[in-house]
Amino acid sequence: MLELYQTNRKQAQEYRESLVSQLNQLTDPQDLPSIQDNNPQPFYLEFKKKLALFVQNETDLLQEELQQSENSHLLLLKRTALVDAVVQTGFARAVWMCNRGRTEPWGSHDFPVAVIARGGYGREEMYFHSDVDMQIVVRTGATEEEKERGYQLINFFDYLLVYQDIFPTAASTGHSEIDTESLDLKENEVASFHSLLEHRMVAGNPLVYREFTSSIKTASLIHKDKIIRHCLQYKHYFEVPNTVFRQEPNLKEELRRLYWALSLVRIQEGYHEINQFELLVELYNTGKLSTTAFKNMKKALNFVSRMRLFLHCHQKGSHRDVLSYEVREVIAESMGYAGKVREFFQEYFFNAVLPMKRFSRNLFWDGITPSTEKARRLSPDFALNSESQIVLQEGREDVTWDSPLPILELFVWVSRKNYFLSYPVVRAIERHADQMLPMFQSGADQVQIQQLFHAILRGKHFARALRYLHEFRLLESFFIPEFKNLSGLLQDIYVHLFPTDIHVLAALDALNRLDIDPEADPFLTGLYHSLKDKSTMRLSVLLHDIGKGLKTEGENEELVGSRAVPRILENLGFGKNQKMIRDIAFLVEKHLMMRDLMMLDPDDDTTYEMIWDLVEKNVERLKMLILLTYADRAGTKMKMTQTQIDQLKYFYQFTLQFKKRESVPIPVKQEFLKMIRLPRDLQSQLQIYDQFKKSRDGFATELFYKPEHPAELVVCTRDQQGLLYKIAAVLAFNHLSIIEANVHTLDDNVFDIFKVVSATGDPVDFSNFFFIQKQVIDDLRRVFVGNLDIASLYRGRALNSSHQVSKYNDIKLKVSIIGRTVKVETHDILGTMMMETRVFSDLNMKIDRAVIHTTLENASNVFYVRPEDVRKIIQEEDKFKTQLKNALLPLIKIKPIFPNEPAEVA
């Protein structure tokens, strides 16, 4: 491997020399604009123009080479060589500018200046959009004349290179003088100094660089403890909750795990190499890394580096290192996984970043001396130190176990006492994990294993213990084999931050916080503590998504998971507890229902009737369903807001109380209305309804302006087919989005209130409001009074812009039936409500009420329809979904919703 890297360096050096030669010719001052009247601006601009074009052409060639090569080390060296060549050319031209008018020109050695690469640039690990970090050093011992000459050079260099956009990212410099006498290093300066330890001369005076190197070496020896403490601050990269399993991982962050491990060992033990590829070889050759660790870390570094290079080909800016959903298929294909995104992520997770984290962690923790002060003995093999870490007993460092029981018992202590596992214990577990297979266990051991799991589940810190079990693959090996299918399983990117297994663990963390976090929500905490059986609750969260890893195409994951519950609980030793089995199977099957029910009308008693019927009038199930809903959401991007938690609280209270309500007689209502003064909004609505009752046309409407809030549209008319569709169409074609709808029907009279915003999601601008108000009212009057059909009114008009539709390749659609409601989830695109209600109208289905929700560019609209319409949808669900999808498709195309000419029938 060292020979390969030496060959790479030779090629990179030849490439650098070739580039310097080309750039010297390209930027010959004789071919650049002359500097007249002391105005160098034309010279700078032409210099920048030539360099920028050259850099772009060479970058294109390197990106083409990337497509054919898997040698990340060489590509990073070449990219660095390109930056070096540009910096050296800029420095040479700065020297030339200093020499203008001189009869005896200065050489670069006549300036007390050196340009030094630092950080990633110093390590020669430059990606296509890496920042170019340099330190320009001036020798302190230089004479005032030499210093003045040096600062003049630096000024020209800054204008030629640093202040120009030569590279597609930032070029930053720091200016300093070498001071070998003052070597003080304050705590807030350690991070900056640390990057100077990864230094390399690029241009300038070698004597200045030599002094700089000596100064840095002296300071690093004096402040070695401070620098090591700085490295130790990054130990969180190696903790179990800091997972590598993310659906949109930041590759720079993943590479930092390796970086801080290598930095620590290099500083502690004085290793020479700073390039990470070559430092791994040095560590291996000196016996610091085993063959297995070296091969895994080298492979992972090369794989992730290549991915990051490809990412920089497709992304810019602050998110350039994030493997986002929008580019992951392209990156997978570039890495040789065309059409195999799932396989690509499995390779990334299990053969790249996970081994890199584990072996980097081992290297990092090898450099830390744990506390050896024993607090107390836990077992013949384990003790507790003063830092609440479980450590190996003295003399048991090389212990081997034939049974898994001593190791599994560790996690009972973690769960009960919140102890941590020390690094030697982690290493011991990993050494034995593969040898402790369930197939070699006796029946007696199996019973004890089940008892240990019960103890872990009952512990106050159960979530941490379960994370440890999953980290070491013990959860799937000894307890729930089905959990293996969830590992690294990708989910809906719009909702989930993590793959399925880590989402489940995050949900368990959220549930556990209700028991241990004094700042947790009081209502949820009280609900959790009131449960009669917390083990059922915890198992429900652990198993709520188990069906995702078991289902086949076309199967319902909730039903599949529910059916698997009896088998899983039998294996865990709960087979005789039939009540637990029934409750967990119910919760797994219905765990999404409460989220759906929260979208219904909170003022309608039928909502609470549906909830009460759903939980089969069982208060314990209601509590657990609410807590499961909260925990499930907490493990996603869409964590519950305090308002949503309050909504859960109200749903819980109203569900228990709604049957106690009594209807109020009409005379009492009339007397009550005489006693109070209606709020201004209700007064306005009442006046519109009064206009409607007096109107010969049977129609009245008004659009009200609300400063910094959604505008409010009130429509009163006679009930008719497709009424909601017509209103939604008028609003959509006037570029207004409905964010809330309240539909009220009494006999033949309809009173509808809509809260609307502009198509961008912002409140309607006052300067444009009166134009929109007139247009909306006129259009509604044409439709409801003039009986003009929607297609005729808006024929030939497109709805969405190219920018809006470019985000979507296809329609995402999910339809759920909740009692007598139909919930439709899809993209939040202008016109969504119009097209959805159009389908109901075309199928002659009456919408009695609609509840609208929009979050993170997703629309979840709930429509209350007649029982017979619900039955019709259930009977022809596939046909209904197809019709909805076909109706929504025109919204993601730049075409008229209602073409000028009818389409020909084939």
Side-chain angles (χ1 to χ4, degrees):
M1 185 53 62
L2 181 59
E3 292 179 0
L4 171 64
Y5 292 161
Q6 288 173 341
T7 303
N8 288 346
R9 283 208 165 272
K10 183 178 178 181
Q11 290 185 47
Q13 181 58 28
E14 291 172 354
Y15 178 64
R16 180 185 288 104
E17 291 171 358
S18 171
L19 293 175
V20 170
S21 175
Q22 294 176 61
L23 284 170
N24 280 335
Q25 185 176 355
L26 180 68
T27 64
D28 189 325
Q30 303 302 321
D31 299 328
L32 294 172
S34 59
I35 301 176
Q36 298 177 354
D37 299 328
N38 207 27
N39 177 20
Q41 194 65 19
F43 182 91
Y44 290 147
L45 291 176
E46 186 63 20
F47 179 82
K48 170 190 173 180
K49 179 181 176 182
K50 289 191 173 188
L51 244 63
L53 182 60
F54 182 85
V55 167
Q56 185 58 57
N57 290 337
E58 287 299 321
T59 300
D60 292 343
L61 292 173
L62 287 175
Q63 291 181 355
E64 289 177 15
E65 184 178 344
L66 173 63
Q67 298 286 345
Q68 309 301 323
S69 172
E70 295 184 3
N71 192 341
S72 298
H73 178 251
L74 176 60
L75 286 160
L76 292 172
L77 289 178
K78 282 190 167 185
R79 179 64 180 177
T80 304
L82 174 59
V83 178
D84 283 353
V86 171
V87 172
Q88 290 166 10
T89 302
F91 191 87
R93 296 301 164 261
V95 170
W96 176 86
M97 294 185 75
C98 288
N99 282 324
R100 281 188 310 113
R102 286 187 58 83
T103 55
E104 295 183 12
W106 289 308
S108 60
H109 293 194
D110 295 318
F111 295 88
V113 174
V115 179
I116 298 168
R118 61 189 294 175
Y121 182 29
R123 298 193 305 271
E124 297 178 270
E125 297 171 12
M126 291 295 289
Y127 295 83
F128 295 122
H129 289 283
S130 291
D131 292 338
V132 183
D133 292 327
M134 296 176 287
Q135 188 76 14
I136 301 179
V137 178
V138 178
R139 182 163 53 88
T140 304
T143 65
E144 289 302 317
E145 180 186 350
E146 289 173 331
K147 285 185 181 180
E148 183 179 352
R149 185 191 314 158
Y151 285 119
Q152 182 187 30
L153 173 71
I154 292 171
N155 184 59
F156 286 138
F157 179 77
D158 282 345
Y159 276 100
L160 280 165
L161 192 69
V162 178
Y163 300 155
Q164 309 298 333
D165 296 325
I166 307 296
F167 298 100
T169 185
S172 61
T173 62
H175 298 171
S176 62
E177 294 186 5
I178 302 171
D179 187 351
T180 56
E181 296 181 0
S182 177
L183 295 172
D184 186 33
L185 186 64
K186 298 175 182 176
E187 290 294 336
N188 60 354
E189 298 172 337
V190 176
S192 178
F193 181 79
H194 183 271
S195 71
L196 283 176
L197 295 176
E198 301 162 336
H199 59 80
R200 182 176 55 85
M201 180 172 166
V202 182
N205 191 325
L207 293 176
V208 175
Y209 177 64
R210 195 175 304 150
E211 290 184 28
F212 168 82
T213 301
S214 175
S215 178
I216 287 293
K217 184 176 182 180
T218 303
S220 65
L221 290 173
I222 293 173
H223 301 291
K224 183 176 179 178
D225 291 341
K226 283 185 181 179
I227 300 167
I228 290 174
R229 284 200 302 272
H230 173 70
C231 293
L232 294 179
Q233 291 177 2
Y234 296 92
K235 63 183 180 181
H236 63 274
Y237 276 113
F238 309 102
E239 293 173 354
V240 172
N242 192 334
T243 180
V244 301
F245 295 95
R246 294 179 181 272
Q247 298 200 129
E248 293 185 298
N250 186 316
L251 300 191
K252 185 176 181 179
E253 286 296 298
E254 293 304 331
L255 286 167
R256 277 180 175 161
R257 301 181 198 273
L258 175 64
Y259 171 77
W260 286 112
L262 292 177
S263 290
L264 179 63
V265 72
R266 180 171 57 81
I267 293 164
Q268 278 187 326
E269 304 188 24
Y271 284 97
H272 172 70
E273 300 291 351
I274 58 174
N275 180 275
Q276 293 183 97
F277 292 86
E278 295 163 25
L279 180 53
L280 285 175
V281 175
E282 187 179 7
L283 294 177
Y284 174 62
N285 289 340
T286 57
K288 187 68 178 179
L289 286 179
S290 67
T291 301
T292 301
F294 172 66
K295 288 182 177 179
N296 277 276
M297 295 171 84
K298 173 180 67 67
K299 177 183 176 182
L301 177 58
N302 190 71
F303 187 89
V304 179
S305 295
R306 190 162 183 253
M307 281 177 62
R308 191 179 176 200
L309 282 165
F310 276 122
L311 264 183
H312 283 208
C313 295
H314 298 283
Q315 294 187 149
K316 300 178 182 179
S318 59
H319 295 287
R320 60 185 178 269
D321 293 309
V322 177
L323 183 58
S324 61
Y325 176 77
E326 289 75 15
V327 299
R328 69 183 189 184
E329 287 189 12
V330 176
I331 302 301
E333 183 176 354
S334 299
M335 294 290 291
Y337 292 86
K340 299 178 180 178
V341 171
R342 180 172 179 178
E343 290 84 350
F344 165 66
F345 267 91
Q346 292 291 306
E347 179 70 19
Y348 167 76
F349 285 144
F350 296 106
N351 294 326
V353 287
L354 184 58
M356 185 163 67
K357 176 187 176 182
R358 286 180 172 173
F359 288 113
S360 298
R361 177 206 62 201
N362 295 347
L363 195 62
F364 187 88
W365 284 106
D366 272 338
I368 299 177
T369 304
S371 170
T372 56
E373 182 183 348
K374 303 293 191 298
R376 68 186 183 92
R377 181 178 184 273
L378 294 175
S379 74
D381 295 329
F382 302 106
L384 190 72
N385 70 11
S386 57
E387 297 174 349
S388 295
Q389 289 181 322
I390 300 174
V391 297
L392 290 164
Q393 290 276 23
E394 188 174 348
R396 304 294 289 170
E397 290 80 8
D398 298 320
V399 65
T400 59
W401 294 284
D402 296 326
S403 166
L405 297 177
I407 286 182
L408 294 179
E409 190 177 7
L410 289 170
F411 304 103
V412 177
W413 293 325
V414 170
S415 180
R416 287 177 175 171
K417 302 294 186 179
N418 198 27
Y419 294 156
F420 297 83
L421 300 183
S422 67
Y423 168 64
V425 170
V426 169
R427 289 291 297 272
I429 294 172
E430 289 181 340
R431 281 201 312 269
H432 292 85
D434 293 337
Q435 304 167 19
M436 299 181 299
L437 297 176
M439 65 181 70
F440 301 121
Q441 309 308 317
S442 65
D445 276 355
Q446 181 60 28
V447 171
Q448 286 184 277
I449 288 171
Q450 291 174 344
Q451 291 171 347
L452 287 172
F453 183 80
H454 295 182
I456 291 169
L457 196 65
R458 290 194 299 269
K460 193 176 184 68
H461 303 274
F462 63 91
R464 171 179 295 199
L466 290 170
R467 268 194 184 271
Y468 272 131
L469 288 173
H470 180 58
E471 176 78 6
F472 301 124
R473 298 292 179 258
L474 299 176
L475 184 61
E476 65 194 43
S477 296
F478 289 96
F479 304 113
I480 308 174
E482 295 84 355
F483 208 83
K484 182 178 182 179
N485 298 333
L486 303 185
S487 294
L489 183 62
L490 301 179
Q491 305 188 88
D492 183 350
I493 198 71
Y494 294 103
V495 176
H496 290 283
L497 183 64
F498 304 113
T500 311
D501 56 332
I502 307 301
H503 157 70
V504 170
L505 297 175
L508 285 165
D509 289 338
L511 183 70
N512 206 164
R513 281 194 292 272
L514 299 179
D515 202 13
I516 62 177
D517 184 359
E519 301 298 321
D521 181 81
F523 163 68
L524 294 173
T525 300
L527 208 62
Y528 178 76
H529 286 298
S530 72
L531 291 175
K532 296 177 182 177
D533 183 5
K534 293 184 177 63
S535 291
T536 296
M537 181 72 252
R538 295 169 182 180
L539 282 168
S540 299
V541 177
L542 178 60
L543 300 177
H544 77 274
D545 272 343
I546 201 71
K548 288 184 176 179
L550 300 175
K551 74 181 185 74
T552 57
E553 189 174 352
E555 286 190 302
N556 181 291
E557 63 197 46
E558 289 86 20
L559 284 175
V560 171
S562 177
R563 291 166 187 159
V565 165
R567 178 181 73 249
I568 294 170
L569 293 187
E570 176 72 32
N571 191 52
L572 292 173
F574 295 108
K576 294 181 180 180
N577 191 336
Q578 291 301 308
K579 182 180 184 302
M580 173 184 275
I581 293 173
R582 287 193 301 271
D583 284 344
I584 294 176
F586 164 81
L587 291 166
V588 170
E589 181 181 349
K590 306 295 185 184
H591 74 269
L592 296 176
M593 288 297 292
M594 182 57 74
R595 184 198 67 172
D596 292 340
L597 290 166
M598 287 174 65
M599 295 181 179
L600 303 185
D601 187 348
D603 298 322
D604 188 349
D605 279 355
T606 58
T607 298
Y608 305 104
E609 283 188 87
M610 281 191 276
I611 296 174
W612 196 232
D613 291 342
L614 174 68
V615 299
E616 299 173 0
K617 299 177 174 57
N618 185 319
V619 177
E620 285 296 301
R621 281 191 178 180
L622 176 60
K623 293 177 185 177
M624 289 191 287
L625 187 58
I626 288 173
L627 291 169
L628 179 53
T629 301
Y630 165 75
D632 187 20
R633 283 283 297 275
T636 70
K637 294 178 180 178
M638 303 165 65
K639 294 177 174 60
M640 281 193 166
T641 63
Q642 188 57 51
T643 300
Q644 291 169 324
I645 292 174
D646 290 341
Q647 189 180 359
L648 277 178
K649 175 181 178 180
Y650 300 145
F651 268 60
Y652 174 70
Q653 293 173 342
F654 292 160
T655 300
L656 296 181
Q657 298 173 5
F658 87 95
K659 284 190 174 292
K660 300 176 182 179
R661 295 182 188 174
E662 296 179 1
S663 60
V664 179
I666 290 177
V668 175
K669 292 180 181 178
Q670 292 173 338
E671 181 180 333
F672 179 76
L673 288 173
K674 289 179 181 178
M675 292 174 61
I676 66 168
R677 182 174 182 175
L678 292 176
R680 187 177 299 277
D681 284 355
L682 281 178
Q683 289 181 27
S684 300
Q685 293 168 12
L686 181 59
Q687 289 171 1
I688 300 298
Y689 190 71
D690 184 53
Q691 292 174 20
F692 159 71
K693 294 294 288 183
K694 296 174 180 177
S695 169
R696 294 181 179 179
D697 301 323
F699 176 79
T701 186
E702 188 57 82
L703 181 64
F704 296 99
Y705 177 73
K706 306 285 184 179
E708 298 182 2
H709 289 84
E712 188 174 270
L713 175 69
V714 179
V715 180
C716 298
T717 186
R718 305 293 181 203
D719 197 8
Q720 57 186 271
Q721 179 69 21
L723 183 143
L724 194 53
Y725 157 61
K726 295 173 183 177
I727 298 173
V730 168
L731 291 171
F733 277 100
N734 282 282
H735 297 281
L736 296 175
S737 291
I738 304 172
I739 62 168
E740 187 177 319
N742 292 290
V743 181
H744 308 277
T745 306
L746 180 64
D747 298 327
D748 195 34
N749 298 334
V750 174
F751 178 78
D752 295 348
I753 304 170
F754 302 90
K755 290 187 177 180
V756 297
V757 294
S758 66
T760 61
D762 301 315
V764 178
D765 189 81
F766 183 74
S767 63
N768 201 32
F769 174 75
F770 293 103
F771 171 78
I772 293 174
Q773 180 190 52
K774 181 178 185 305
Q775 192 65 40
V776 168
I777 292 174
D778 288 349
D779 285 359
L780 287 172
R781 185 164 291 279
R782 289 189 189 100
V783 171
F784 289 105
V785 179
N787 294 318
L788 183 64
D789 67 279
I790 294 293
S792 299
L793 183 60
Y794 299 116
R795 193 175 303 283
R797 284 178 58 178
L799 198 58
N800 289 303
S801 67
S802 58
H803 171 70
Q804 290 170 310
V805 303
S806 63
K807 295 188 291 185
Y808 309 104
N809 296 321
D810 197 6
I811 291 294
K812 181 185 75 171
L813 182 67
K814 183 177 180 181
V815 177
S816 307
I817 306 297
I818 315 166
R820 69 180 189 91
T821 66
V822 181
K823 186 183 75 167
V824 182
E825 295 178 271
T826 187
H827 305 290
D828 182 24
I829 313 171
L830 181 65
T832 296
M833 181 75 164
M834 171 185 70
M835 303 311 280
E836 288 174 352
T837 52
R838 181 182 182 183
V839 170
F840 284 97
S841 177
D842 291 346
L843 294 174
N844 197 29
M845 295 180 179
K846 182 181 178 183
I847 298 173
D848 292 330
R849 192 178 302 117
V851 181
I852 295 168
H853 302 269
T854 55
T855 54
L856 296 176
E857 297 189 350
N858 290 321
S860 295
N861 298 332
V862 179
F863 302 98
Y864 287 73
V865 296
R866 297 169 300 190
E868 58 266 30
D869 293 333
V870 172
R871 289 192 294 269
K872 184 178 178 181
I873 292 172
I874 292 173
Q875 290 168 1
E876 300 180 350
E877 187 171 351
D878 290 340
K879 183 179 178 181
F880 179 72
K881 289 180 180 178
T882 301
Q883 196 162 343
L884 265 176
K885 187 170 185 177
N886 291 338
L888 292 167
L889 274 172
L891 298 179
I892 61 171
K893 301 181 185 299
I894 312 174
K895 294 180 180 179
I897 303 297
F898 307 106
N900 288 316
E901 298 296 333
E904 293 184 10
V905 180

